[in-house]
Amino acid sequence: MKRLAFAGLFLGTALLLTACPNESPPPPPPSTSCTPTPTGLSVQSLGSQQQTPQGLGDFSAPHVPGELLVLPGGLTPQGLAARVEGVRPLSALEGGFLRVGVPKGQERAKAEALLRAGARFVQPNYLYFPLYVPNDPLYPASPADPARLQPYLVLIHMQAAWDLVRVASYGCTPIVAVLDTAFNPAHEDAGLFLSGYNATDDGLGASNLDPSPPPPNSAYANSDPDHGQGVAGLVAAAADNGKGVPGLGLGRVAVLPVKVFYWVNGGYTTTSTTLAKAIRYAADRGAALINLSLGSATPLDGVVQDALNYALSKGSLPVAAAGNNGTDGLMYPAAYPGVLAVGSARLDGARSDFSNYSSTPKDLVLAPGGNRTPAQAFYVLALGQDYSYYESSRPYTTGAGTSFAAPMVSTVAALYVAHYHAVYGRTPTVGQVKQCLIQTASNGGSYNAQTGYGLLRADRVLSDRTYCFP
């Protein structure tokens, strides 16, 4: 039997909660102000950097009902109203645009009619929002507490993506299957946790997600059983509930917890047969993403490869941690064809010192995962429940590693599935999901041996009109 170990570093620390000190008001502005120096740049002088828009704007983005902004292309406001029924001129804007009123619910249809009537460009009157910050106390950045989650999520522009999520109406809830150690769906901060499955032979029963009891003279180390709850919480911890941390799915993504780790031959691990069974189980339950925060150096595992191919054929995309050896070459299953591999980035956006990389081009992106030196880790869920053979009474701990980068990618991919379904009425293929995440990552579609295709960009994943919503 081939053994697979955790691909993530997992470090436990005590919780540290701090109150924000009162701040004095800012000083008044100086009596004189600086006038910006004109650059003389215009649309024409910028050339290829900026062009006068033509055609139709994006009507999937949030906008004011019953209003359009029109670049008339030589037509007068009265001429537009005369040519398209139901169009009412409202005001002229600087830059040559007109704001017009149209019947609510007919914005796109009237925009298309205006284009046919001779308008150059028509767009909605878009809505802009303050960047959303959930009220979960371990989220906001704090100089006194470096384990807060917000600085890490800023790297992938998650708050801007959340703004798009919050105003969207999703007709489906994608499932991220998390194949891992143990889970506690009754945790105080658990959100959309589905009924899980115990794929192991630990004797506890198919629905029991508790840590597997260790054999005589064996004991857990390094908070290993909490690993699965931490990974699952990054997907689906309850947001805006005044507790702990928010899951990146913001209540729009569900977790299917699948226990695959148990005690085999004196070690806490899993096997080819157990992992393959769990992958197939997740695919059969309709998981859009299968998160694999685990790995092995053994390259040829026909049983696992066959299960991964089965998942891909069912429309489930496996997302796997790259590994924590800091060496060239991804762990398996991250290195298998068809799998989206995830490396770890530290707070400055560079590859984490422990994160594996690949000089051979792979489907590899980065997401926040902390660092070894200097030490960087962030809050995640722990099991928050004591067992007769394992104590985990604390509800939160800290973690770092590619194990915790992978679920961030899985969750953003799941949000893309929901967003795509809302726009097109169907779910994207696994190929489309990978293309969207890879092409919108920070390297602009170019591959780099150290960073793959670069840092995940959650905001682009939910808005890009070239690779994600063509």
Side-chain angles (χ1 to χ4, degrees):
M1 292 184 294
K2 297 182 177 69
R3 297 182 183 178
L4 294 99
F6 300 128
L9 303 173
F10 198 60
L11 310 173
T13 66
L15 297 180
L16 179 59
L17 297 175
T18 59
C20 296
N22 292 325
E23 297 182 358
S24 57
S31 57
T32 59
S33 60
C34 297
T35 303
T37 302
T39 64
L41 293 177
S42 65
V43 171
Q44 289 75 24
S45 63
L46 285 171
S48 60
Q49 297 180 46
Q50 184 175 349
Q51 297 178 352
T52 303
Q54 288 182 294
L56 202 64
D58 179 3
F59 281 79
S60 67
H63 55 270
V64 178
E67 291 190 10
L68 295 173
L69 305 181
V70 184
L71 199 58
L75 296 176
T76 65
Q78 294 75 18
L80 287 174
R83 294 191 182 197
V84 180
E85 183 180 358
V87 172
R88 297 173 290 106
L90 297 177
S91 61
L93 308 178
E94 292 191 19
F97 278 86
L98 299 173
R99 184 171 68 96
V100 302
V102 297
K104 292 181 179 180
Q106 298 183 32
E107 293 85 6
R108 186 184 181 98
K110 294 301 180 183
E112 292 171 345
L114 284 166
L115 287 178
R116 291 193 297 269
R120 179 183 178 87
F121 176 71
V122 188
Q123 69 168 65
N125 192 2
Y126 294 117
L127 294 170
Y128 289 77
F129 305 89
L131 287 182
Y132 166 71
V133 177
N135 65 17
D136 306 68
L138 298 183
Y139 177 76
S142 168
D145 188 354
R148 298 293 183 90
L149 193 56
Q150 186 179 31
Y152 293 91
L153 297 193
V154 166
L155 286 177
I156 58 173
H157 299 253
M158 196 67 223
Q159 290 179 186
W162 279 340
D163 283 336
L164 298 174
V165 170
R166 290 174 66 233
V167 297
S169 178
Y170 292 154
C172 71
T173 302
I175 296 172
V176 175
V178 174
L179 280 53
D180 221 290
T181 58
F183 306 91
N184 176 18
H187 188 285
E188 66 172 19
D189 203 14
L192 290 179
F193 277 55
L194 304 177
S195 298
Y197 173 58
N198 177 11
T200 76
D201 296 325
D202 65 1
L204 293 182
S207 62
N208 192 308
L209 304 178
D210 294 346
S212 299
N217 303 317
S218 298
Y220 289 107
N222 302 322
S223 302
D224 282 349
D226 292 299
H227 187 274
Q229 187 79 358
V231 171
L234 286 169
V235 179
D240 262 335
N241 64 340
K243 296 179 180 179
V245 296
L248 274 67
L250 214 65
R252 276 72 166 180
V253 177
V255 157
L256 174 64
V258 183
K259 186 171 71 171
V260 297
F261 279 86
Y262 62 123
W263 289 85
V264 183
N265 198 29
Y268 190 50
T269 182
T270 190
T271 65
S272 300
T273 52
T274 300
L275 186 58
K277 178 172 67 171
I279 292 170
R280 290 175 178 273
Y281 176 88
D284 286 340
R285 265 79 191 159
L289 287 304
I290 300 177
N291 191 89
L292 300 158
S293 291
L294 46 81
S296 170
T298 304
L300 182 57
D301 189 334
V303 173
V304 171
Q305 264 196 298
D306 189 60
L308 292 170
N309 290 337
Y310 177 80
L312 289 163
S313 75
K314 298 279 285 187
S316 300
L317 176 61
V319 177
N324 296 332
N325 301 320
T327 57
D328 188 354
L330 306 181
M331 298 285 278
Y332 293 86
Y336 285 130
V339 177
L340 180 59
V342 183
S344 172
R346 61 194 189 195
L347 277 173
D348 63 1
R351 179 181 63 86
S352 304
D353 52 11
F354 54 73
S355 182
N356 286 21
Y357 54 97
S358 179
S359 56
T360 302
K362 297 284 186 180
D363 291 336
L364 170 67
V365 295
L366 301 186
N371 202 51
R372 183 179 288 117
T373 306
Q376 295 176 359
F378 47 80
Y379 287 116
V380 294
L381 267 59
L383 288 170
Q385 178 177 325
D386 283 340
Y387 307 87
S388 60
Y389 45 86
Y390 178 68
E391 293 184 3
S392 178
S393 56
R394 59 189 176 190
Y396 307 94
T397 185
T398 57
T402 56
S403 273
F404 300 104
M408 295 192 186
V409 173
S410 293
T411 309
V412 171
L415 288 172
Y416 169 63
V417 170
H419 217 75
Y420 189 97
H421 183 274
V423 173
Y424 296 113
R426 63 184 187 277
T427 56
T429 66
V430 291
Q432 288 174 308
V433 176
K434 279 204 296 183
Q435 172 183 264
C436 173
L437 270 66
I438 285 172
Q439 294 296 328
T440 59
S442 62
N443 289 353
S446 298
Y447 188 85
N448 177 278
Q450 292 288 315
T451 61
Y453 288 95
L455 263 170
L456 176 72
R457 282 291 302 264
D459 56 334
R460 294 177 183 169
V461 167
L462 297 184
S463 62
D464 176 80
R465 300 294 296 178
T466 302
Y467 300 105
C468 302
F469 302 93

